[in-house]
């Protein structure tokens, strides 16, 4: 079927309206009419080929929510009209050890990304959520239990939400734990909300005084200006866990030294230029760890969505029309968004 989409034909071209093909639903497929799609930094990096390897035309978007409009004959978990989501993955090998453990994001044969990943479908690589409709294997479709009016604000949970939820769970954020969130952007604002909902004592780190009140409103118990060395020093050796969402190259030591013995700081952003090598002695003398984490598996993504529905957690969003995407990218690069743009996919029809 032919549908409308919005994408880039080259790294240096603005996004434009175009028609694309979607496969007819197979036996295990769910066809989704997309209502909203969140705008992730990965979309921008990919359309501009900042990570290399982008195939054009490129249709980004991996924070997808919408309604089921058809299902294949073998699909039992979903029916027409269901409210569903699709995140960063649309397939994986399904037979490696990681897939067997429900950790499809670490598929040893490489998961299939929702856009710019090889697929048998035309045109040979996946096309994302800046489009009217998507067809996805039912194992990669998530159920959404939030109320209907929250749907747009649910979209960012599919990438920003799970990227922060998974490490918070893995490193056991919860009551009695002091948890730091570095960077209050698309990812960080979700980190603050989720860590707060999990019952942790949440400390937000920001470089701008103007974000203090905002961070508190999101659920932070304390806010630290990370440029204020006195303020930073007062928290030395006190954190159980720090989730660092900042992708720009920066000194990790300033945060690592705030960890208690056996504490961990987990990075979820890939810097364009490497971070300076951390001070090894600061790690050795307190058995501290610096770790990484990548989105989350499908089962955990469902767990995160259910947790958020139960606790009333959604993203703070700014809705845009599809044709406002380039302006949104420019603002995103200046961190001028609170805290996630979400596209109203109905505007694709205009
Ligand atoms: Zn993303
Ligand atoms: Zn696998």
């Amino acid at each position: 079927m032919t549908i409308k989409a919005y994408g880039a034909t080259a790294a240096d071209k603005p996004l434009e309206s175009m028609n694309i093909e979607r496969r007819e639903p197979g036996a295990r497929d769910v066809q989704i009419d997309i209502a909203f799609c969140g705008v992730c930094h990965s979309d921008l990096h990919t359309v501009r080929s900042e990570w290399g390897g982008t195939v054009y035309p490129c249709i980004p978007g991996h924070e997808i929510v919408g309604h089921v409009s058809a299902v294949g004959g073998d699909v039992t978990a979903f029916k027409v009209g269901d409210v569903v989501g699709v995140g960063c993955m649309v397939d994986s090998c399904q037979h490696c050890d990681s897939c067997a453990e429900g950790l499809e994001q670490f598929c040893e044969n490489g998961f299939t990304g929702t856009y710019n990943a090889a697929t048998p479908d035309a045109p040979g690589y996946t096309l994302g959520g800046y489009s009217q409709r998507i067809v996805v294997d039912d194992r990669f479709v998530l159920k959404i239990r939030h109320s209907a009016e929250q749907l747009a604000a649910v979209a960012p949970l599919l990438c920003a939400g799970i990227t922060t939820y998974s490490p918070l769970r893995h490193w056991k954020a919860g009551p009695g734990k002091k948890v730091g969130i570095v960077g209050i952007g698309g990812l960080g604002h979700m980190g603050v909300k989720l860590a707060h909902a999990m019952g942790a004592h949440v400390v937000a780190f920001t470089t701008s005084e103007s974000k203090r009140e905002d961070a508190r409103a999101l659920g932070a118990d304390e806010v630290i200006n990370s440029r204020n060395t006195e303020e930073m020093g007062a928290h030395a050796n006190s954190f159980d866990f720090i989730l660092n969402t900042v992708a720009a190259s920066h000194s990790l030591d300033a945060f690592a030294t705030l960890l208690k013995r056996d504490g961990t700081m987990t990075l979820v952003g890939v810097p364009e230029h490497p971070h300076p090598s951390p001070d090894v002695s600061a790690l050795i003398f307190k058995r501290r760890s610096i770790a990484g984490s990548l989105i989350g598996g499908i089962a955990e993504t469902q767990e995160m969505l259910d947790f958020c529905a139960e606790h009333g957690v959604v993203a703070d969003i700014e809705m845009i029309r599809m044709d406002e995407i380039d302006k949104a990218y420019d603002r995103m690069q200046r961190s001028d968004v609170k805290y996630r743009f979400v596209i109203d996919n109905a505007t694709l029809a205009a």
Side-chain angles (χ1 to χ4, degrees):
M1 76 199 84
T2 303
I3 58 155
K4 285 188 174 174
Y6 222 77
T9 55
D12 56 354
K13 291 265 171 59
L15 275 69
E16 59 184 88
S17 177
M18 55 183 73
N19 289 330
I20 60 166
E21 291 296 316
R22 293 291 190 196
R23 67 176 183 258
E24 295 300 326
R28 294 208 58 160
D29 282 335
V30 176
Q31 175 183 295
I32 302 159
D33 289 357
I34 302 174
F36 304 103
C37 183
V39 181
C40 174
H41 276 269
S42 303
D43 302 355
L44 175 56
H45 290 305
T46 304
V47 292
R48 296 193 178 162
S49 202
E50 289 167 357
W51 292 332
T54 301
V55 195
Y56 295 94
C58 171
I59 314 285
H62 62 199
E63 294 182 339
I64 297 166
V65 293
H67 301 88
V68 175
S69 53
V71 294
D74 293 345
V75 175
T76 55
F78 301 97
K79 60 181 190 311
V80 171
D82 284 355
V83 183
V84 296
V86 176
C88 304
M89 304 183 281
V90 291
D91 209 352
S92 70
C93 86
Q94 301 287 331
H95 56 75
C96 72
D97 289 350
S98 291
C99 284
E101 287 182 57
L103 297 168
E104 297 89 351
Q105 77 274 34
F106 302 121
C107 174
E108 282 134 61
N109 297 296
F111 69 80
T112 304
T114 301
Y115 54 83
N116 203 49
T119 173
D121 292 357
Y125 57 93
T126 51
L127 304 170
Y130 295 9
S131 57
Q132 292 179 305
R133 186 176 270 183
I134 192 166
V135 178
V136 179
D137 183 296
D138 66 344
R139 289 167 291 202
F140 288 80
V141 179
L142 290 313
K143 290 183 200 295
I144 291 172
R145 299 184 166 94
H146 287 76
S147 63
E149 64 272 16
Q150 291 177 304
L151 190 56
V154 169
L157 301 180
L158 276 306
C159 174
I162 187 61
T163 298
T164 49
Y165 180 91
S166 182
L168 287 168
R169 276 283 187 240
H170 186 81
W171 279 279
K172 301 185 166 50
K177 297 290 181 71
K178 183 172 174 180
V179 171
I181 308 289
V182 183
I184 310 301
L187 290 172
H189 99 287
M190 286 312 310
V192 171
K193 287 186 181 212
L194 289 166
H196 175 73
M198 288 173 187
H201 181 83
V202 184
V203 181
F205 293 92
T206 176
T207 52
S208 61
E209 281 297 319
S210 63
K211 284 198 180 172
R212 266 185 203 274
E213 283 315 303
D214 294 344
R216 280 191 183 277
L218 293 169
D221 298 290
E222 297 178 70
V223 184
I224 299 176
N225 185 333
S226 56
R227 291 199 170 122
N228 183 328
T229 47
E230 201 172 312
E231 215 180 331
M232 290 287 275
H235 289 263
N237 309 316
S238 70
F239 282 84
D240 295 283
F241 180 64
I242 295 176
L243 180 63
N244 188 333
T245 71
V246 174
S249 175
H250 65 280
S251 165
L252 302 178
D253 295 335
F255 300 105
T257 53
L258 303 189
L259 294 168
K260 282 180 179 171
R261 170 176 54 78
D262 289 318
T264 299
M265 173 163 71
T266 295
L267 311 178
V268 291
V270 179
E272 194 184 344
H273 307 290
H275 299 303
S277 177
D279 173 10
V280 174
S281 66
L283 304 179
I284 290 173
F285 281 89
K286 292 272 184 199
R287 199 161 58 189
R288 294 167 172 138
S289 303
I290 295 178
S293 182
L294 175 67
I295 43 177
I298 293 299
E300 191 174 46
T301 306
Q302 187 63 64
E303 176 192 305
M304 176 276 304
L305 286 167
D306 294 347
F307 175 88
C308 289
E310 192 183 318
H311 289 85
V313 175
V314 292
D316 285 14
I317 65 161
E318 186 176 330
M319 188 100 79
I320 58 165
R321 296 172 47 85
M322 188 69 259
D323 59 14
E324 293 174 318
I325 188 67
D326 282 292
K327 210 166 57 183
Y329 281 169
D330 290 343
R331 285 186 48 199
M332 219 162 71
Q333 282 193 306
R334 300 194 300 267
S335 302
D336 175 24
V337 52
K338 285 180 181 172
Y339 287 89
R340 203 66 147 175
F341 289 112
V342 170
I343 299 158
D344 177 359
N345 286 52
T347 61
L348 272 159

